[in-house]
Amino acid sequence: MVEFSALKKEIEDRGVQLVAVSKTRSVSEIMSLYNQGQRHFGENRVQELVQKKDELPSDIHWHLIGQLQKNKVKYISPFVHCIQSVDSLSLAEKINKEAQKHQRKINILLQIKIGQEASKSGYDIDILKEEIQQLTTLSNLSINGAMGIGTFTSDEDVTRAEFNRLKGYYDLLKAEHFSTVDSFKEVSMGMSGDYRLAMDCGSTVVRIGSLLFGRRG
Ligand SMILES: *Cc1c(COP(=O)(O)O)cnc(C)c1O
């Protein structure tokens, strides 16, 4: 664990946004960071997010960072700040529809597959290229950038190559589809073990859990 204010300063001094990943953490653990000024928190399960949200201050900006089933979008659509894990057109269409019902725009990131493990979720880049045109027509979504999860490895070269690949995908999408869209500016990559490397590779959002809260049980 590191001191919150030092980590926050290190990250924000580089113009990067810190999302505190609070999955499995208690309401009081979250409140402790909230009281030190943290407002962006990330959760990976809908049920846990919805429960905690009701017990915590309403000015928290909640990020959904885990796989999302279409039938659960409705539970978070009234309040979620950003869904970082959008990996299909059908999911994006569902979020768009739910956002319409609440007369709001929902921020999303396009999660793109960069890791080696076959199980890693995220868009296959070739499929994303086929669907991107349709994605940009969904008027109740604000597509703010790309997100990726690196392979779980201690080999820094592997992780660096994956971060560079995600940044490359982001740059390509920006140039070809979002060059006039100011809000398309985020690259969400980097966790407790590799956030510095991620920032060196162009990350604008880091998602940090264990370094802030201690190891998950
Ligand atoms: C759990 C999680 C994190 C944070 O991981 P730490 O290693 O605890 O910092 C970041 N991103 C995603 C998608 C996660 O599921």
Side-chain angles (χ1 to χ4, degrees), residues 55-70:
E55 297 177 48
L56 283 154
S58 60
D59 63 342
I60 288 181
H61 289 54
W62 291 104
H63 297 245
L64 198 280
I65 59 170
Q67 207 161 23
L68 175 59
Q69 291 169 342
K70 287 196 275 289

Side-chain angles (χ1 to χ4, degrees), residues 7-217:
L7 184 68
K8 178 183 162 76
K9 184 177 185 330
E10 177 193 353
I11 290 167
E12 292 183 352
D13 278 357
R14 297 182 64 165
V16 172
Q17 185 187 26
L18 169 61
V19 173
V21 176
S22 52
K23 62 188 184 199
T24 76
R25 311 300 177 174
S26 67
V27 163
S28 66
E29 284 174 290
I30 295 171
M31 270 316 287
S32 157
L33 289 194
Y34 178 90
N35 288 332
Q36 296 173 75
Q38 181 65 19
R39 290 295 178 272
H40 290 260
F41 290 89
E43 290 281 340
N44 67 340
R45 291 178 59 243
V46 166
Q47 196 185 354
E48 188 177 340
L49 169 54
V50 169
Q51 252 167 29
K52 284 176 178 171
K53 179 244 174 202
D54 281 339
E55 297 177 48
L56 283 154
S58 60
D59 63 342
I60 288 181
H61 289 54
W62 291 104
H63 297 245
L64 198 280
I65 59 170
Q67 207 161 23
L68 175 59
Q69 291 169 342
K70 287 196 275 289
N71 61 0
K72 294 193 174 163
V73 173
K74 59 177 178 286
Y75 301 118
I76 59 171
S77 52
F79 69 89
V80 72
H81 173 69
C82 181
I83 299 175
Q84 296 203 8
S85 44
V86 175
D87 61 359
S88 73
L89 177 59
S90 59
L91 176 59
E93 286 172 339
K94 180 70 185 175
I95 297 167
N96 187 60
K97 207 165 144 188
E98 293 296 326
Q100 259 163 15
K101 284 186 194 163
H102 298 284
Q103 298 177 3
R104 65 185 295 244
K105 261 195 174 196
I106 294 180
N107 299 307
I108 69 160
L109 300 181
L110 301 168
Q111 184 180 349
I112 308 176
K113 206 178 289 180
I114 52 169
Q116 299 302 315
E117 295 111 277
S119 65
K120 276 275 185 285
S121 49
Y123 251 120
D124 183 290
I125 187 64
D126 293 321
I127 295 174
L128 174 55
K129 284 176 184 168
E130 285 168 21
E131 297 185 348
I132 190 69
Q133 198 67 51
Q134 273 171 285
L135 283 164
T136 58
T137 66
L138 301 172
S139 56
N140 286 68
L141 299 185
S142 176
I143 305 179
N144 290 352
M147 181 271 224
I149 304 175
T151 299
F152 186 73
T153 174
S154 56
D155 187 340
E156 200 171 282
D157 293 338
V158 170
T159 305
R160 184 183 298 105
E162 291 173 354
F163 287 165
N164 285 333
R165 191 175 316 140
L166 182 63
K167 177 63 161 66
Y169 293 153
Y170 164 83
D171 288 339
L172 185 95
L173 292 167
K174 179 76 183 175
E176 292 186 358
H177 300 279
F178 297 95
S179 57
T180 62
V181 183
D182 290 342
S183 56
F184 191 88
K185 61 179 170 55
E186 309 293 2
V187 182
S188 171
M189 59 185 186
M191 318 194 334
S192 290
D194 52 25
Y195 71 98
R196 283 188 180 137
L197 180 59
M199 293 194 298
D200 290 342
C201 295
S203 173
T204 69
V205 177
V206 292
R207 312 176 306 265
I208 296 184
S210 32
L211 202 57
L212 285 171
F213 291 104
R215 277 174 62 182
R216 279 180 294 277

